[in-house]
C-alpha cells in the first residue's frame, strides 16, 4: 500500500476519478465511502478538537452511514452531511474510545469504552516483531535449531484464540509469534515452520514477557515452490479471449451500478471491505427494493489442533481484529477477471492517521453464465437464452490466506455471494510419520492443522419495503394413510420466526430448509406476500466447544441464522471489539431481549463457511475453495424475470 501525504491525497483523488473510463458521472451520494481528502480531514478535526497525541492510534475510520430516515429524506442535489465513525486507541491510558466526527468540524461523539481492547495495530506489530526478533532467548533458540540469521525468519503476530497463559493474564493485550525459516528471499514463507519456539509479547509496551522454547521437533526441510520461475508454468491451453465489441453493459456513476434491470450501490470500509447498498430491481417499470445493506460482517477462523506448537491458539477474527478492507489487494498487480473491467479505488486509514489509496481495489465486470433457460417443444421449436451475471469483487490477503468476496447479480433476480478461499495453508512442524489427530501431514514433518473458515453475512433486507417477516420453510413428508394412500405426498411447513429467541435457527438439509423474507403489506398477482428466500448453500458447523474461549468469543457461529430488528449500532456479530474479549458479545447479547420481529425492518445474520481438512493437493498454494449463499425471489415477481431476455447471436454455435 502507498502512504500519501495530505497534499498528495487530493491529487490522487482527482486522478482516481479520471481513471474510470465507464464512469460517465460522479454524482455524490450520502452512502459514498469517504474519499481520501474526507478521511484526512476527519482525522485532522479529531486531532485538533480532542488534542490527540502520538499515543492515540486509529483503529477503524469508517463512514458514519446516514440513517434510513435521513436517506429517504435526501434527494440528489441536496446538501450531504458527511461524518466519520472513528475508533481510537489511547495507548497511554489503555483506553478505547468511540467517536463520530462531522466534516463540518464538529466532534459529535466521544465515548470512552473502558474494558474494551483494540486489536494490535500496525506500528505495534512492528515494535512487537522487533522485540521478539532481538530477544536473546529467541536468538539462542533459533541458533540451537541451526538458524544463525534471525533476518531469515518470518514471524507473525497472532492473537490468543485460547486462554492466555495464567501467569500473564492480567488484562494486558498480548500476542504470540509463530515462526518460519525462510532460507532464501523467494522461498515459500510457510514451508519451514520452526517447532516449539514462540515469543509472547505485551502489545502496549512491546515487551517480550515470555519465550516458549519446548524444542525437540526439527524444522521440515521440503521446499514448497510455486512461483512461475520455479514451476515453469508448462501446462498451456490455447488462448481464450472475452471480447465485448460494444463495451460493457453496465454503467458506473460514482459508486452506483446499473446493469440489466438491477440498480445498487457499492461501498467499502476498512473493517468489512466490500459493502452492497440499496439493491433494487426494475419489475416492468416498478423499481422494487430488495436489500438496504449487505456485507460480510465477520470472518472467524478457529483452528482445531491440540498440538503443543501453538496451533490450538490460532483463531483469528479477520474482520473484527484485522480489518478485512485493510488488506484489499490492488488488482493492478494481477486480476484474473476477463472482459471489459472497471475498477474502483478504495481507501484505508492506518493507525497513525495516514490515508492510503488502494488502486483498483474493487473489480466490476460481467460474466457469461451458461444457459439461463431453455425449452424444446414437441414440434421441435426451441427457445434458449444465455445467461449473464454482473460481478463485484475484491480480494484480500491476510497473512497466509487469500479471500475473494464475489457478489453476483443474475438475470433471474438471484443475488449470490461467493467467498473464494486460496493462498497457503498455515503450517506447523511435527514428527514425520507420527499420528497427527488434527493435522494433515502434507510433506514430511510439515503439518497443516484442521481449521474452519466461518463467515457471517449481515443482510439488511428490505423486500419491497422495510416491513418484513421471516418464515422458515421445511419440506415435510405426509404420513401414509387415507390422506396419502400412495405414500408419495409431501408438503411444506411454514413457521413464522416471530421473535429473536425463535429466530435462532440451523440448517436442515433433510427438510430442504430455507428461510423466506416476505413483505406482508406487498402482495403479488395471487394475493401472496412478495418475498425473497435465503438459500443456505454453504453452511457448516463449528467444531470448537461452545464454552471454549473461541466458542464464547464467536458465539454467533452456533446458529446458522439469527434475525434481529435493524439497529444502526448492531453491526458486528461478535461485538465491536473481539480482541481478547471474554465473549458473548454481539448477537447473543442483543437477542437476549427477545425482541419481536414480525412486520419489522429485520436483519438476517447467516453463518456459512468451510471445514478445512487440508489435502496434500492444497500445497503449495491451495486451489480455490468456494462457499456462500443465495438470495432468490420467491413470489416477488409474477413470472420469471429472465423470460424476456433477448436471445444471443448464434454466430458462434450450431
Ligand atoms: Cu483453510
Amino acid at each position: 500500500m502507498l502512504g500519501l501525504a495530505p497534499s498528495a491525497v487530493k491529487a490522487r483523488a482527482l486522478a482516481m476519478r479520471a481513471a474510470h473510463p465507464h464512469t460517465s458521472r460522479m454524482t455524490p451520494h450520502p452512502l459514498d465511502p469517504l474519499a481520501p481528502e474526507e478521511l484526512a480531514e476527519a482525522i485532522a478535526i479529531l486531532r485538533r478538537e480532542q488534542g490527540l497525541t502520538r499515543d492515540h492510534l486509529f483503529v477503524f475510520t469508517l463512514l458514519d452511514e446516514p440513517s434510513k430516515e435521513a436517506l429517504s429524506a435526501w434527494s440528489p442535489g441536496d446538501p450531504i452531511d458527511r461524518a466519520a465513525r472513528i475508533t481510537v486507541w489511547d495507548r497511554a491510558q489503555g483506553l478505547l474510545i468511540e467517536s463520530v466526527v462531522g466534516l463540518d468540524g464538529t466532534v459529535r461523539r466521544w465515548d470512552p469504552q473502558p474494558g474494551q481492547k483494540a486489536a494490535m495495530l500496525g506500528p505495534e506489530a512492528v515494535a512487537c516483531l522487533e522485540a521478539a526478533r532481538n530477544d536473546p532467548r529467541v536468538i539462542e533458540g533459533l541458533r540451537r535449531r541451526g538458524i544463525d540469521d534471525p533476518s531469515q525468519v518470518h514471524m507473525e503476530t497472532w492473537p490468543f484464540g485460547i486462554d492466555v497463559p495464567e501467569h500473564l493474564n492480567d488484562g494486558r493485550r498480548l500476542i504470540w509469534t509463530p515462526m518460519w525459516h525462510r532460507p532464501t528471499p523467494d522461498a515459500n514463507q510457510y514451508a519451514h515452520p520452526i517447532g516449539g519456539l514462540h515469543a509472547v509479547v505485551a502489545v502496549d509496551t512491546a515487551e517480550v514477557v515470555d519465550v516458549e522454547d519446548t524444542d525437540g521437533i526439527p524444522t521440515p526441510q521440503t521446499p514448497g515452490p510455486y512461483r512461475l520461475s520455479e514451476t515453469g508454468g508448462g501446462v498451456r491451453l490455447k488462448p481464450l479471449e472475452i471480447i465485448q465489441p460494444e463495451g460493457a453493459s453496465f454503467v458506473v456513476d460514482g459508486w452506483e451500478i446499473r446493469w440489466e434491470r438491477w440498480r445498487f450501490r457499492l461501498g467499502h470500509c476498512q473493517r468489512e471491505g466490500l459493502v452492497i447498498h440499496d439493491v433494487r430491481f426494475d419489475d416492468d417499470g416498478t423499481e422494487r427494493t430488495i436489500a438496504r445493506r449487505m456485507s460480510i460482517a465477520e470472518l472467524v477462523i478457529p483452528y482445531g489442533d491440540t498440538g503443543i506448537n501453538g496451533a490450538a491458539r490460532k483463531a483469528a477474527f479477520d474482520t473484527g481484529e484485522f480489518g478485512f478492507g485493510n488488506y484489499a489487494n490492488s488488482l493492478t498487480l494481477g486480476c484474473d477477471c476477463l472482459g471489459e473491467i472497471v475498477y474502483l479505488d478504495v481507501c484505508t486509514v492506518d493507525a497513525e492517521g495516514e490515508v492510503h489509496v488502494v488502486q483498483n481495489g474493487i473489480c466490476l465486470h460481467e460474466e457469461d453464465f451458461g444457459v439461463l433457460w431453455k425449452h424444446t417443444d414437441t414440434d421441435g421449436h426451441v427457445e434458449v437464452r444465455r445467461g449473464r451475471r454482473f460481478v463485484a469483487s475484491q480480494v484480500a490477503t491476510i497473512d497466509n490466506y487469500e479471500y475473494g468476496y464475489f457478489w453476483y447479480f443474475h438475470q433471474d433476480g438471484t443475488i449470490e455471494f461467493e467467498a473464494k478461499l486460496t493462498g497457503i495453508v498455515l503450517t506447523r512442524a511435527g514428527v514425520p510419520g507420527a499420528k497427527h489427530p488434527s493435522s494433515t501431514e502434507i510433506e514430511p514433518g510439515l503439518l497443516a492443522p484442521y481449521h474452519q473458515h466461518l463467515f457471517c453475512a449481515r443482510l439488511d433486507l428490505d423486500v419491497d419495503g422495510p416491513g418484513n417477516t421471516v418464515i422458515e420453510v421445511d419440506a415435510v413428508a405426509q404420513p401414509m394413510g387415507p390422506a396419502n394412500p400412495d405414500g408419495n405426498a409431501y408438503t411444506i411447513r411454514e413457521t413464522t420466526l416471530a421473535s429473536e429467541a425463535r429466530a435462532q435457527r440451523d440448517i436442515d438439509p433433510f427438510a430442504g430448509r430455507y428461510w423466506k423474507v416476505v413483505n406482508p403489506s406487498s402482495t403479488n398477482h395471487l394475493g401472496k406476500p412478495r418475498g425473497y428466500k435465503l438459500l443456505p448453500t454453504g453452511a457448516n458447523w463449528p467444531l470448537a466447544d461452545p464454552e471454549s474461549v473461541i466458542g464464547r468469543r464467536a458465539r454467533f457461529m452456533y446458529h446458522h441464522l439469527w434475525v434481529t430488528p435493524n439497529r444502526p449500532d448492531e453491526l458486528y456479530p461478535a461485538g465491536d471489539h473481539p480482541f481478547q474479549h471474554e465473549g458473548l458479545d454481539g448477537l447473543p447479547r442483543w437477542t437476549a431481549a427477545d425482541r419481536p420481529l414480525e412486520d419489522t425492518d429485520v436483519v438476517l445474520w447467516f453463518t456459512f463457511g468451510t471445514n478445512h481438512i487440508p489435502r496434500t493437493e492444497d500445497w503449495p498454494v491451495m486451489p480455490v475453495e468456494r462457499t456462500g449463499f443465495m438470495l432468490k425471489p420467491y413470489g416477488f415477481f409474477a413470472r420469471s424475470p429472465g423470460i424476456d431476455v433477448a436471445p444471443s447471436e448464434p454466430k458462434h454455435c450450431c
Side-chain angles (χ1 to χ4, degrees):
M1 288 194 289
L2 185 65
L4 294 175
S7 57
V9 164
K10 207 155 213 167
R12 165 69 67 206
L14 294 171
M16 187 172 100
R17 288 171 191 191
H20 301 152
H22 294 261
T23 303
S24 52
R25 286 183 294 157
M26 182 86 190
T27 314
H29 188 277
L31 288 171
D32 288 344
L34 291 166
E37 63 271 28
E38 291 179 312
L39 291 164
E41 180 66 13
I43 295 290
I45 293 167
L46 194 61
R47 279 192 169 131
R48 185 177 68 232
E49 297 298 315
Q50 292 296 325
L52 303 189
T53 69
R54 292 179 67 83
D55 278 330
H56 293 91
L57 298 176
F58 300 96
V59 182
F60 290 119
T61 303
L62 315 174
L63 173 70
D64 186 43
E65 293 177 16
S67 66
K68 283 189 176 181
E69 297 70 36
L71 267 180
S72 37
W74 182 85
S75 302
D78 287 354
I80 300 177
D81 178 43
R82 301 284 277 167
R85 189 156 56 86
I86 305 180
T87 305
V88 177
W89 176 249
D90 179 345
R91 55 181 163 180
Q93 296 193 61
L95 184 63
L96 190 114
I97 301 136
E98 296 287 11
S99 72
V100 173
V101 181
L103 289 177
D104 56 1
T106 57
V107 175
R108 301 175 187 175
R109 183 180 174 211
W110 180 259
D111 276 346
Q113 309 281 313
Q116 300 276 19
K117 293 184 178 66
M120 186 191 54
L121 298 162
E124 296 177 320
V126 172
C128 288
L129 287 175
E130 193 181 326
R133 205 179 291 280
N134 291 319
D135 189 281
R137 294 164 291 181
V138 171
I139 293 169
E140 174 57 19
L142 290 171
R143 197 194 55 73
R144 270 193 292 106
R145 289 166 174 81
I147 301 166
D148 294 322
D149 181 358
S151 74
Q152 290 182 343
V153 174
H154 169 67
M155 260 184 221
E156 292 182 356
T157 52
W158 278 70
F160 278 81
I162 58 167
D163 278 321
V164 170
E166 205 167 315
H167 64 289
L168 298 172
N169 196 6
D170 58 2
R172 283 183 284 195
R173 295 154 78 218
L174 292 165
I175 54 94
W176 67 286
T177 62
M179 305 182 196
W180 291 263
H181 187 211
R182 200 177 193 191
T184 58
D186 57 359
N188 185 319
Q189 213 155 273
Y190 298 96
H192 312 295
I194 297 167
L197 181 64
H198 318 113
V200 179
V201 189
V203 177
D204 295 296
T205 54
E207 175 196 359
V208 178
V209 293
D210 203 0
V211 172
E212 301 164 326
D213 188 348
T214 53
D215 220 338
I217 300 173
T219 303
Q221 293 299 320
T222 312
Y226 67 88
R227 296 185 180 208
L228 183 59
S229 58
E230 299 164 311
T231 65
V235 180
R236 281 183 193 279
L237 296 173
K238 291 174 184 170
L240 172 66
E241 290 176 13
I242 306 291
I243 296 165
Q244 296 181 259
E246 296 173 35
S249 300
F250 57 92
V251 175
V252 182
D253 176 2
W255 292 84
E256 185 189 77
I257 313 295
R258 289 194 301 278
W259 177 77
E260 228 249 18
R261 282 160 283 187
W262 291 98
R263 184 160 77 94
F264 50 91
R265 307 192 65 80
L266 299 176
H268 184 269
C269 72
Q270 67 186 117
R271 183 160 182 156
E272 298 172 293
L274 187 55
V275 178
I276 310 291
H277 291 287
D278 206 8
V279 181
R280 297 152 186 265
F281 194 98
D282 185 331
D283 176 20
D284 278 340
T286 303
E287 198 173 57
R288 300 194 178 282
T289 64
I290 297 166
R292 280 291 180 185
R293 189 183 192 282
M294 302 191 291
S295 64
I296 304 304
E298 193 51 270
L299 163 56
V300 63
I301 303 103
Y303 278 75
D305 196 334
T306 55
I308 56 163
N309 284 328
R313 286 178 180 166
K314 290 174 187 148
F317 291 78
D318 278 0
T319 306
E321 289 181 329
F322 287 78
F324 190 88
N326 281 329
Y327 297 90
N329 286 185
S330 171
L331 300 170
T332 49
L333 304 174
C335 173
D336 62 355
C337 300
L338 296 174
E340 292 283 322
I341 299 173
V342 174
Y343 294 102
L344 299 176
D345 296 349
V346 301
C347 305
T348 61
V349 177
D350 69 19
E352 288 162 322
E354 191 89 1
V355 178
H356 299 267
V357 177
V358 182
Q359 283 183 284
N360 298 9
I362 294 174
C363 173
L364 311 176
H365 76 295
E366 297 167 278
E367 285 179 350
D368 178 85
F369 196 56
V371 174
L372 176 64
W373 59 267
K374 177 170 184 174
H375 181 61
T376 305
D377 213 338
T378 47
D379 65 5
H381 179 85
V382 179
E383 292 283 346
V384 59
R385 301 292 184 273
R386 220 168 158 80
R388 208 185 288 186
R389 62 184 184 182
F390 178 84
V391 194
S393 67
Q394 170 168 59
V395 180
T397 303
I398 303 179
D399 286 339
N400 54 311
Y401 257 92
E402 267 71 17
Y403 294 99
Y405 283 1
F406 287 69
W407 289 91
Y408 301 113
F409 295 82
H410 294 263
Q411 291 173 294
D412 66 352
T414 300
I415 301 168
E416 180 180 1
F417 175 80
E418 185 175 67
K420 296 186 183 181
L421 289 69
T422 179
I424 303 179
V425 289
L426 203 67
T427 55
R428 73 172 180 93
V431 176
K435 199 168 185 304
H436 304 293
S438 304
S439 294
T440 305
E441 190 169 355
I442 52 177
E443 291 284 4
L446 184 65
L447 305 189
Y450 303 167
H451 60 278
Q452 299 185 291
H453 304 261
L454 297 170
F455 303 78
C456 184
R458 182 183 188 276
L459 306 170
D460 173 7
L461 301 188
D462 275 17
V463 176
D464 224 14
N468 288 174
T469 298
V470 185
I471 296 168
E472 180 169 281
V473 184
D474 283 351
V476 183
Q478 298 282 69
M480 206 162 171
N484 180 22
D486 300 313
N488 64 306
Y490 70 98
T491 185
I492 55 167
R493 180 176 56 225
E494 298 199 339
T495 310
T496 299
L497 306 181
S499 73
E500 288 178 303
R502 280 176 275 180
Q504 295 168 21
R505 308 298 302 163
D506 302 321
I507 60 162
D508 183 352
F510 296 103
R513 178 171 292 171
Y514 57 85
W515 298 283
K516 66 176 182 179
V517 183
V518 300
N519 186 329
S521 339
S522 169
T523 50
N524 63 19
H525 62 303
L526 298 170
K528 297 276 173 40
R530 296 178 199 275
Y532 253 76
K533 70 175 182 179
L534 168 61
L535 209 55
T537 52
N540 227 292
W541 187 250
L543 291 158
D545 190 285
E547 289 307 319
S548 64
V549 169
I550 189 61
R552 291 175 65 80
R553 288 168 66 212
R555 184 56 64 86
F556 71 85
M557 62 185 175
Y558 295 95
H559 289 295
H560 295 115
L561 180 77
W562 305 64
V563 187
T564 58
N566 186 23
R567 297 285 182 273
D569 56 346
E570 296 179 1
L571 294 172
Y572 311 116
D576 290 351
H577 305 291
F579 185 84
Q580 247 168 273
H581 195 282
E582 63 190 18
L584 304 183
D585 201 1
L587 279 170
R589 181 167 66 81
W590 309 324
T591 56
D594 195 19
R595 294 167 291 189
L597 295 173
E598 285 182 272
D599 200 4
T600 300
D601 180 10
V602 291
V603 173
L604 280 72
W605 306 77
F606 178 60
T607 296
F608 59 98
T610 62
N611 183 23
H612 194 176
I613 312 295
R615 307 169 298 148
T616 53
E617 293 85 353
D618 289 338
W619 184 255
V621 177
M622 174 180 143
V624 166
E625 290 277 332
R626 295 170 167 82
T627 183
F629 61 88
M630 288 192 203
L631 294 163
K632 281 182 167 287
Y634 191 106
F636 189 79
F637 301 108
R639 57 194 64 80
S640 165
I643 205 69
D644 57 352
V645 168
S648 319
E649 294 285 324
K651 60 185 174 186
H652 293 305
C653 79
C654 318

